[in-house]
Amino acid sequence: MLKHNLRLVFRKFKKDKSTFLINLIGLSVGFVVALTIFGWGIVELSYDKFHTKSDQIYRVINERFQNGEMVQKGAITYPTIGPTMFKDYPEVINNTRISYQGTMNIAKDDKIIRIDEAQFTDQHFFEMFDFELLAGDRKTALSETNQVVLTQEIAKQLFDIRNEDYESIIGEFIVMDRDEHPSKVVGVLKDFPSNSIFQPTVLGSYATFIRYSGEGADNSWDWSDFYHYLELDANADVAALEAKFPAFSKKYFVDEGLTQSEEKFFLQPLADAYLHSSDLEYKIMKTGSARAVWSLLAIAIMILVIAWVNYINLSSVKAIERAKEVGLRRVIGAGKRQLTFQFLQEAFFVNVLAVVLAIPLTFLFQPWFYDVMGVDQSAAIIPHLDSLSYLMYGGFGLLIFLGILISGLYPSYLLSSKNTPEVLKGKFQNTTSSRFLRKGLVVSQFTMSISLIIITMFVYRQIKFLNQKDLGVKIDQVMVFNGPELTGWDSLFIEKMNAFTASLSQFPNIQSANTSSRVPGQRTGRIFSLKVKGDEDNTSFMSNFINADSKYDDTYDLKTLAGRFFRPDDSNTDGSLVKNIVINEAARKMVGIESNEAAIGQVFNFFGNDYNVVGVFNDYHQRSIHHAIEPLVIVPYYATFNPVSVKMATTNIDQTIAQVKTSYESFFPNNAFEYTFLDDQFARLYQADKNFGQILLFFTFLAIFVACLGLFGLASYTAHLRTKEIGIRKVLGSSVSQIVKLLSFDFLKLVFVAVLLAMPIAWYCSQQWLQAYEYRIPMEATVFIFSGGIALGIAFFTISFQSLKAAFGNPIESLRNE
Amino acid sequence: MIIRTKSLNKVYRTDEVQTTALNDLSIEINQGEFVSIMGPSGCGKSTLMNILGMIDSPSSGEYFFMENEVGGLSERKRSDVRKNNLGFVFQSFNLIDELTVFENVELPMMYTKVPSAERKKRTEALLEEMNMMHRRNHFPQQLSGGQQQRVAVARAIVNNPKLILADEPTGNLDSANGDDVMKILADLNSKGTTIVMVTHSQYCAEFGNRIIRLLDGQVVTENVVRQFL
C-alpha cells in the first residue's frame, strides 16, 4: 500500500506541478530557516555547559545603590568577595577570581607581540573549569608569582613550536609589558572553544597581579575591578545562600560606611552568563542575546507555519478535485483510517522531500547567516547536549511531526467527513466552515508577515536613528592609536607627549591631536564617592571619569559652556599637583549646582583629593546611544597606555597615517603602532543591532514570499474554478478591470484584515524591542500605514497575475471548457 | 435471500425543503438474481442503490443483507461488509485518473489485504478476460468509454463479490459498447453473481430476470422477465 500511495503521490505532483512546487519551495525555505536557526540557537544555548561542574558554578553579581538609586549592576566587584564567601559559607566549596587587563605586550627575546584579552587568575581556575591544557600541570599552574599560561595560538606566535610539541616551551620565560621579572610559561591551553564566555589569550597568575598592583588586589574592600566565580556544593540551596548576602554586606561593608554605596550581591548561574547579561555593566566576557535567540526562533517557526498553512489551504481548496477519488475509494472498500493514512503519507512525502532539499541549502545558507550574526566558525563548536538542547531537538522534531499531522489530517478530515454519494456525483462543495477556516488561515499568514514588515521597519529606523543621532562630539575622521605602553613613565613623559601631539598638528592634514584615557564609545571608570565641598549632607555621588589632556576638546569638538577647558599646565607628572577638573552638565546637575557658571570654582572631592572645577562642557555620548548620558568628570592626568586621537582631513589619508606613524616611532621607539578610525569603532557598537536588522529583513522577505506563494496558488485555483463565471461576465460586457477587481477583492479583503490585526501585535513587539534603547524613535503611525500599503501592494501584485490571465482569456474558450 | 428491505424511508432535508426519496419501500432479492430497477428521474433509484450499496443509510426502516441487519451499522462495519461482498459499476466509470488500468483493477484487493502475488494473478486474469491486457499500463483518459467501463467492471468483480450494483452502466456508452458490458454482466450473473442494476433502457433491463419499477420512492410494479432458475 505504501508503494501504491507513493506512486500515486508522485503522479499527482506531476499532474499538478504548481501546487507541488508551491508546497515544496515554501516548506524548503521554512526548513532551511528552521534548521539554521535551531542549529545556531542550540550553540547559543550551549555556552559553558561543557564544564563538568557547569551546574555548580556561579558568577557573583554586584549591585550598587546610592541615594536610593541603583548606580551600577555588574559582574565586576571587590577582590575580597569570592575568597570571603568561600571562607564564610561551607556550601561554597571553591572560588576563583579574575582580573581583566585587556591589551598587553608580551615578549620573548626580541619578539614582541601585542595581545588582547590578557587576564590574571589563580590556580583554582583550572580546578573549576574544564579548559584543556595541552602542556603543563593543571594542579599547579598559576599557583605562584610570575607564572603564565598561553593559549595554543599565542604560543605558536611567540615560540617556534614544532610538531605541536607544546611541552617544549614549558619552563621558558617571557616578559609581560615592562615587567622586570620575567614570567615562566607553566602551561599551554588548547584554544578556548567558541561557545565559552572566556576567551583570554594569556592567563597570568593572580599572585603576579598582586605583585604589580599591591596588596589591595588581594584584600581591598573598595576597589571594584574583579570577577568572581564560585563553585557550590552539589546540594547547595542557591536561594538560601543568596539570602545570607545582605548580612554579608552589613558585616563587611559596614552598611554604606566603606564604599558609600549599598552593596547587594547575587549569584548568576554560569550557564546563564552568555545570554542573560545584557543588563550587566563591565561585562568583559563574550555575551549574546537571549532576546535575539528566542525572537529568531519564533520567526523560523512562523515561516514554517506559513508554509504548512499553504499546504493545508491548497489541499483544502483542491479537495473539490480529490473528492471523487476519495468517494470512490470509500465505495470500493477504503476505511477512514486507510484514507487518513494516504493523506498523511502525501503530507509526509512533501515534507520529507522539502527536508532533503533543505539540508544542502542549509549548508549554503549557514555561512552567510553566521557571517552576518558574527558567529565564529573557526574554532570547533561542539554544543553541549544538555536537557535544554534535547528539549530543542525534541521540540523541533515534534514541530515537524505536528506540521505533517495537521497538514495531512485536515484535508483527509474534510473529505472523509462528506457524504459519499454526493461526493461521487461531484456535488462536493467546500463548506462554509472550511471556507471560513481557509480565509482565517490566509489572514493568519499575512498577520505574521505584516507584523514582521512593521517590526523590521521600526528596527531599521532605530538603527538609522542610532547612526544619525547627534553624539555631542565629532568622531568623524578621528584616528585612534595605542599609547606608548613600552615607554617608561618619567617626569618628562607629559612634555614628550605634548611635543608629539604638537608635532602632529604641524602636518597640514591634521587638525588636532591629543591623548586621553578613553575615547568616545569606550566605557569609562567610575567614581563612587564624589562629594562637593561644603555640602552639609556630605552626600556621595557616582560619576564617570576619564583622563584627558588640554587638546581633548579641540579633537572632539567639545563645547565649553562655562569657565574654560584645560590648559597644558593643569597637568603634572606629579599627580598630587593636579588640582583642576572639568565636568559635564549632567555632573553639574547631579550634584545640584544650579547653573554652569555657579559650578566654576566649586571643589569636588574624590580619590582622597580636592579638585577645583574650572569648566563645564556640554553633555555628549561617551558610550553608544544604547545608554543614557551620565555625569562625567575629566581629570588632566596622563598615562603611557592612554591612546592618542588624531583629527585629520579627508584628503591624503594614507600619507597622513604614514606621517603619524613615522613621528610616533621617532618619539616612542619600540612601540607597536596600531590604529583604528573612531567612526568604525563606534559603528561596531551598533553592529549587533545592524546584524539583527539584516537577518530580520531577510526573514521578513522570506515570510512574505512564502505567504505570497500560497496566495498565488489560491488565487490561481480560484480563477480556474470561476472560469465559467468569468466567461459569462465577459460575454455580457464586463471589462478586464472589473474582472480583475472581482477576483482580487476577496483576497485583498483578507490582507486588509491581516493589516488591522498585525498593527497591535507589531506595535507591542516593536515597543518591547525598543525598550532596550535609552534613546528611541517614536511609534509613528506612518510606519504602520506604509507597511500595510506594502503588504497590500505585494498581495495585489501576486493575485493580479492570475486575475489578469483569467480576465484576458477568450470567453468562448472558458465557456467551452465548462 | 441476499437483500431484504422492510419499510425503507429516506428523507433529505434542507433548511426549507424536505424531499422524500424512498417511501416505505420493501423489496426482496434472492441470491443469483439479476434485478433491473427502472423509473423516471427523481424516483429514488439512485438513493435505493446507495442504501443497498451501504454508502448511504436509510432515515428509517430495515435493510437485511444476507439476513443481517446492516442499515444501522457503523460506517466502519458497513465498509467491511461492502469491501468483502459488493462490487460497483457506475455510469461515469469512476476510475481513478492517476492510476493505471492495472492499478485500478488491483485497488479493491489492497483494501481487502490480498497478498501482492495473488493480486497480480487475479488482475491479469481479469484483464485478459476483459480483453484489456494490452492496455494494462494505460491511464483511464487514454481509453475509450467502452474500455473504461470494462476496466470498471473488472474492478467491481475482482474481489469476487456476492452482489454487483450497477448504476446505469451503459448510460455513457454507445450501443455496441453498451451491449458488450451488458453481456459481461449477464455472463457474471450466469456464473452465480447477484446483480442489481439501475437503468433507463428497457433493452438493458431485459438482460435481467426481474424489473422493479419505482415512482416517488415506492415500488409500483415488479415484472418477471425470465424465470429465475
Side-chain angles (χ1 to χ4, degrees):
Chain A
M1 188 59 99
L2 184 74
K3 214 166 107 190
H4 169 89
N5 285 347
L6 284 182
R7 204 157 43 209
L8 190 73
V9 167
F10 178 70
R11 286 180 194 153
K12 278 190 191 304
F13 292 160
K14 227 169 117 184
K15 194 172 153 194
D16 187 1
K17 290 188 193 76
S18 63
T19 307
F20 171 63
L21 284 177
I22 287 170
N23 284 326
L24 188 67
I25 294 171
L27 286 168
S28 298
V29 167
F31 283 126
V32 168
V33 173
L35 282 170
T36 306
I37 304 291
F38 270 78
W40 167 74
I42 285 166
V43 173
E44 290 288 288
L45 290 165
S46 74
Y47 269 67
D48 285 301
K49 287 179 181 167
F50 55 85
H51 304 287
T52 320
K53 295 172 179 168
S54 172
D55 291 348
Q56 288 166 259
I57 300 173
Y58 291 81
R59 178 158 78 171
V60 178
I61 303 298
N62 181 195
E63 286 180 0
R64 302 180 67 165
F65 291 78
Q66 279 186 346
N67 312 319
E69 275 182 33
M70 186 159 74
V71 291
Q72 182 170 297
K73 178 181 182 181
I76 193 171
T77 186
Y78 311 94
T80 35
I81 301 303
T84 310
M85 286 181 171
F86 172 66
K87 178 171 66 76
D88 285 5
Y89 305 120
E91 53 268 62
V92 179
I93 57 174
N94 205 348
N95 78 289
T96 187
R97 57 187 169 182
I98 295 172
S99 168
Y100 177 74
Q101 289 305 300
T103 309
M104 270 187 122
N105 293 282
I106 55 171
K108 170 66 188 164
D109 302 331
D110 294 339
K111 197 187 251 178
I112 303 173
I113 56 172
R114 202 157 180 267
I115 53 155
D116 292 321
E117 305 290 327
Q119 297 176 14
F120 288 93
T121 187
D122 51 38
Q123 70 272 29
H124 306 300
F125 185 83
F126 292 113
E127 293 163 5
M128 289 168 63
F129 301 110
D130 288 1
F131 300 114
E132 190 184 339
L133 273 183
L134 298 170
D137 180 3
R138 64 187 303 131
K139 285 187 186 132
T140 57
L142 304 180
S143 58
E144 292 171 20
T145 318
N146 300 335
Q147 289 188 335
V148 66
V149 170
L150 307 176
T151 53
Q152 203 178 345
E153 189 195 336
I154 298 297
K156 278 182 185 162
Q157 284 180 35
L158 211 54
F159 292 93
D160 180 23
I161 292 171
R162 293 189 185 158
N163 305 325
E164 306 281 310
D165 181 14
Y166 297 104
E167 287 292 346
S168 64
I169 65 165
I170 300 295
E172 294 276 350
F173 285 88
I174 63 166
V175 177
M176 299 174 77
D177 273 347
R178 289 176 301 103
D179 191 0
E180 58 209 24
H181 303 283
S183 287
K184 189 175 164 187
V185 177
V186 291
V188 177
L189 266 166
K190 190 173 176 180
D191 286 336
F192 284 80
S194 311
N195 57 339
S196 172
I197 60 165
F198 300 99
Q199 298 292 327
T201 47
V202 166
L203 287 172
S205 65
Y206 200 83
T208 315
F209 183 69
I210 296 172
R211 182 175 59 72
Y212 280 168
S213 319
E215 288 301 309
D218 185 37
N219 57 24
S220 167
W221 287 94
D222 60 4
W223 177 11
S224 129
D225 244 346
F226 305 85
Y227 300 83
H228 295 271
Y229 292 85
L230 307 181
E231 180 188 338
L232 305 190
D233 185 83
N235 302 317
D237 179 344
V238 182
L241 178 60
E242 281 182 323
K244 296 173 188 169
F245 293 162
F248 178 92
S249 297
K250 203 178 172 71
K251 180 178 170 189
Y252 292 103
F253 291 91
V254 207
D255 290 327
E256 295 183 27
L258 210 58
T259 57
Q260 275 71 49
S261 310
E262 187 190 343
E263 307 283 346
K264 291 184 180 174
F265 296 96
F266 301 95
L267 297 177
Q268 179 187 44
L270 176 66
D272 285 355
Y274 177 67
L275 285 182
H276 299 277
S277 296
S278 57
D279 60 337
L280 296 183
E281 295 187 272
Y282 297 100
K283 43 180 191 281
I284 47 145
M285 313 289 180
K286 201 172 162 188
T287 52
S289 160
R291 201 167 67 134
V293 171
W294 295 119
S295 44
L296 290 183
L297 271 174
I299 293 169
I301 292 172
M302 260 190 236
I303 296 176
L304 254 184
V305 168
I306 292 174
W308 278 320
V309 165
N310 281 350
Y311 187 91
I312 292 173
N313 270 349
L314 290 175
S315 311
S316 82
V317 79
K318 297 226 163 182
I320 299 166
E321 279 182 6
R322 295 295 297 271
K324 192 183 113 184
E325 178 207 329
V326 171
L328 199 70
R329 282 177 184 271
R330 282 170 65 180
V331 167
I332 60 175
K336 260 189 182 174
R337 204 188 300 170
Q338 281 158 319
L339 287 172
T340 306
F341 189 60
Q342 187 190 333
F343 279 99
L344 279 177
Q345 272 182 346
E346 280 185 33
F348 181 76
F349 187 74
V350 183
N351 277 277
V352 166
L353 209 62
V355 170
V356 169
L357 199 67
I359 290 170
L361 288 176
T362 305
F363 282 110
L364 291 177
F365 176 63
Q366 251 175 353
W368 175 81
F369 174 78
Y370 284 153
D371 190 40
V372 174
M373 292 304 283
V375 176
D376 175 21
Q377 296 172 85
S378 56
I381 301 176
I382 302 159
H384 178 73
L385 296 178
D386 67 336
S387 51
L388 185 62
S389 24
Y390 282 126
L391 200 70
M392 283 189 60
Y393 279 124
F396 187 48
L398 190 71
L399 188 74
I400 295 180
F401 176 74
L402 280 178
I404 293 173
L405 206 65
I406 295 169
S407 49
L409 282 183
Y410 181 66
S412 121
Y413 158 78
L414 204 65
L415 286 167
S416 53
S417 61
K418 295 285 168 198
N419 201 344
T420 312
E422 282 180 21
V423 163
L424 268 179
K425 281 188 180 160
K427 282 186 187 165
F428 178 87
Q429 286 293 327
N430 275 301
T431 58
T432 315
S433 63
S434 77
R435 272 196 296 271
F436 187 74
L437 181 79
R438 196 159 56 241
K439 285 178 180 175
L441 288 174
V442 171
V443 169
S444 72
Q445 284 181 310
F446 276 85
T447 304
M448 287 191 260
S449 309
I450 296 164
S451 301
L452 282 177
I453 295 179
I454 299 173
I455 295 166
T456 307
M457 286 196 70
F458 275 116
V459 168
Y460 262 77
R461 288 174 73 86
Q462 175 69 16
I463 294 166
K464 196 174 161 201
F465 171 77
L466 291 178
N467 283 304
Q468 290 181 347
K469 188 173 187 305
D470 182 17
L471 294 171
V473 283
K474 296 229 166 81
I475 56 163
D476 297 340
Q477 292 304 118
V478 175
M479 178 177 80
V480 177
F481 55 92
N482 54 296
E485 293 151 26
L486 297 178
T487 298
W489 173 264
D490 57 26
S491 59
L492 294 175
F493 182 80
I494 292 181
E495 269 179 50
K496 203 174 180 181
M497 179 53 84
N498 287 347
F500 169 60
T501 52
S503 79
L504 294 183
S505 304
Q506 300 302 312
F507 292 121
N509 286 327
I510 293 178
Q511 292 156 16
S512 173
N514 85 294
T515 179
S516 56
S517 61
R518 297 284 189 271
V519 295
Q522 289 180 327
R523 68 153 317 129
T524 65
R526 277 179 170 169
I527 303 164
F528 282 94
S529 56
L530 185 148
K531 294 181 178 177
V532 181
K533 206 110 184 196
D535 173 17
E536 285 171 9
D537 300 332
N538 200 28
T539 314
S540 283
F541 296 99
M542 187 283 285
S543 173
N544 294 272
F545 78 96
I546 63 167
N547 302 327
D549 65 6
S550 59
K551 293 280 187 282
Y552 187 75
D553 60 334
D554 290 341
T555 311
Y556 290 107
D557 206 15
L558 240 62
K559 309 222 172 2
T560 302
L561 305 174
R564 63 172 176 84
F565 202 74
F566 294 130
R567 288 192 297 250
D569 60 4
D570 286 323
S571 299
N572 199 304
T573 42
D574 179 355
S576 66
L577 298 175
V578 172
K579 290 290 168 204
N580 295 334
I581 55 168
V582 291
I583 62 172
N584 70 353
E585 224 178 346
R588 190 267 294 166
K589 286 178 187 158
M590 172 183 68
V591 297
I593 300 172
E594 288 202 346
S595 71
N596 294 332
E597 286 70 25
I600 308 305
Q602 295 277 353
V603 178
F604 283 14
N605 179 284
F606 54 88
F607 298 156
N609 296 316
D610 285 345
Y611 297 93
N612 305 310
V613 176
V614 296
V616 178
F617 58 90
N618 65 305
D619 286 341
Y620 73 88
H621 284 277
Q622 172 61 34
R623 289 196 281 162
S624 69
I625 313 283
H626 294 99
H627 309 277
I629 290 177
E630 291 183 335
L632 178 67
V633 169
I634 306 183
V635 190
Y637 289 134
Y638 283 60
T640 55
F641 44 78
N642 284 358
V644 180
S645 306
V646 176
K647 173 95 172 171
M648 54 174 68
T650 48
T651 48
N652 295 331
I653 291 174
D654 289 343
Q655 190 195 342
T656 312
I657 294 170
Q659 287 167 337
V660 172
K661 186 171 186 279
T662 312
S663 181
Y664 183 70
E665 282 165 354
S666 73
F667 272 89
F668 306 105
N670 300 327
N671 281 285
F673 176 78
E674 287 179 6
Y675 70 91
T676 54
F677 277 88
L678 197 54
D679 46 1
D680 291 345
Q681 222 167 302
F682 230 92
R684 272 199 287 277
L685 299 174
Y686 307 122
Q687 197 58 45
D689 304 291
K690 228 175 125 185
N691 294 345
F692 184 74
Q694 211 174 332
I695 291 291
L696 193 65
L697 178 70
F698 185 69
F699 285 175
T700 301
F701 168 77
L702 290 183
I704 194 94
F705 169 72
V706 177
C708 281
L709 272 182
L711 191 65
F712 180 83
L714 281 183
S716 63
Y717 195 67
T718 310
H720 169 73
L721 288 181
R722 293 175 79 172
T723 309
K724 184 180 170 192
E725 177 194 338
I726 294 165
I728 295 170
R729 281 176 187 271
K730 282 191 78 174
V731 168
L732 295 177
S734 180
S735 69
V736 168
S737 64
Q738 281 168 322
I739 287 171
V740 169
K741 203 169 128 192
L742 173 84
L743 290 175
S744 309
F745 193 65
D746 278 351
F747 287 112
L748 289 182
K749 259 192 319 201
L750 300 181
V751 179
F752 186 71
V753 172
V755 170
L756 295 181
L757 287 176
M759 283 183 181
I761 297 170
W763 182 86
Y764 176 78
C765 296
S766 308
Q767 186 87 345
Q768 287 293 310
W769 188 79
L770 288 170
Q771 287 301 319
Y773 297 91
E774 193 63 37
Y775 302 92
R776 46 186 178 258
I777 47 162
M779 303 294 284
E780 294 151 318
T782 45
V783 171
F784 292 95
I785 296 165
F786 186 62
S787 306
I790 289 179
L792 280 166
I794 294 173
F796 181 70
F797 177 77
T798 308
I799 303 158
S800 62
F801 180 78
Q802 287 304 330
S803 308
L804 283 171
K805 205 170 126 192
F808 279 115
N810 183 344
I812 303 304
E813 282 295 317
S814 45
L815 287 177
R816 191 182 298 146
N817 282 344
E818 228 2 72
Chain B
M1 189 86 60
I2 192 161
I3 286 171
R4 181 158 62 87
T5 72
K6 216 167 133 188
S7 304
L8 277 187
N9 285 290
K10 180 72 185 178
V11 182
Y12 293 107
R13 283 190 186 88
T14 62
D15 289 344
E16 289 160 9
V17 189
Q18 177 172 313
T19 315
T20 304
L22 295 180
N23 187 3
D24 211 21
L25 186 137
S26 300
I27 54 168
E28 290 180 352
I29 296 170
N30 288 312
Q31 192 110 32
E33 263 194 292
F34 186 155
V35 177
S36 303
I37 298 174
M38 297 189 76
S41 293
C43 70
K45 303 186 296 286
S46 292
T47 305
L48 177 62
M49 287 294 268
N50 288 338
I51 291 172
L52 296 183
M54 291 173 238
I55 52 182
D56 202 356
S57 46
S59 304
S60 66
E62 292 169 311
Y63 169 28
F64 294 89
F65 180 75
M66 298 174 72
E67 302 303 337
N68 294 310
E69 215 290 314
V70 293
L73 287 183
S74 68
E75 164 59 29
R76 202 173 150 183
K77 282 192 176 144
R78 277 194 286 161
S79 168
D80 278 345
V81 178
R82 196 161 62 219
K83 70 184 172 196
N84 290 312
N85 299 290
L86 305 186
F88 292 85
V89 181
F90 305 93
Q91 178 180 0
S92 52
F93 326 131
N94 280 344
L95 296 174
I96 295 177
D97 292 341
E98 288 82 8
L99 299 183
T100 60
V101 163
F102 184 93
E103 289 162 349
N104 263 294
V105 176
E106 185 192 25
L107 189 61
M109 290 187 285
M110 297 179 95
Y111 293 126
T112 48
K113 304 221 161 44
V114 176
S116 163
E118 173 70 11
R119 288 204 305 263
K120 187 165 182 273
K121 205 174 102 191
R122 268 155 68 176
T123 307
E124 282 175 354
L126 266 176
L127 288 177
E128 205 71 68
E129 205 177 312
M130 297 287 166
N131 201 16
M132 287 300 294
M133 197 55 186
H134 61 296
R135 298 279 196 178
R136 54 176 292 167
N137 291 323
H138 285 66
F139 287 96
Q141 56 273 32
Q142 297 170 308
L143 305 179
S144 72
Q147 286 173 323
Q148 287 193 50
Q149 195 61 303
R150 290 216 296 277
V151 176
V153 173
R155 184 181 64 187
I157 60 176
V158 74
N159 264 339
N160 299 320
K162 295 186 176 61
L163 170 67
I164 288 177
L165 296 164
D167 193 350
E168 297 196 43
T170 60
N172 283 5
L173 299 178
D174 59 33
S175 57
N177 278 314
D179 247 15
D180 276 356
V181 169
M182 286 316 300
K183 278 175 192 155
I184 295 169
L185 290 178
D187 187 42
L188 284 169
N189 178 243
S190 68
K191 288 173 185 157
T193 310
T194 312
I195 294 176
V196 178
M197 176 180 74
V198 164
T199 183
H200 279 297
S201 150
Q202 184 66 32
Y203 171 74
C204 291
E206 286 175 3
F207 276 84
N209 324 109
R210 183 152 64 106
I211 299 173
I212 297 176
R213 288 182 196 277
L214 299 185
L215 186 67
D216 297 335
Q218 290 178 311
V219 177
V220 284
T221 56
E222 288 191 47
N223 309 105
V224 175
V225 180
R226 282 178 282 157
Q227 194 55 52
F228 176 56
L229 301 170

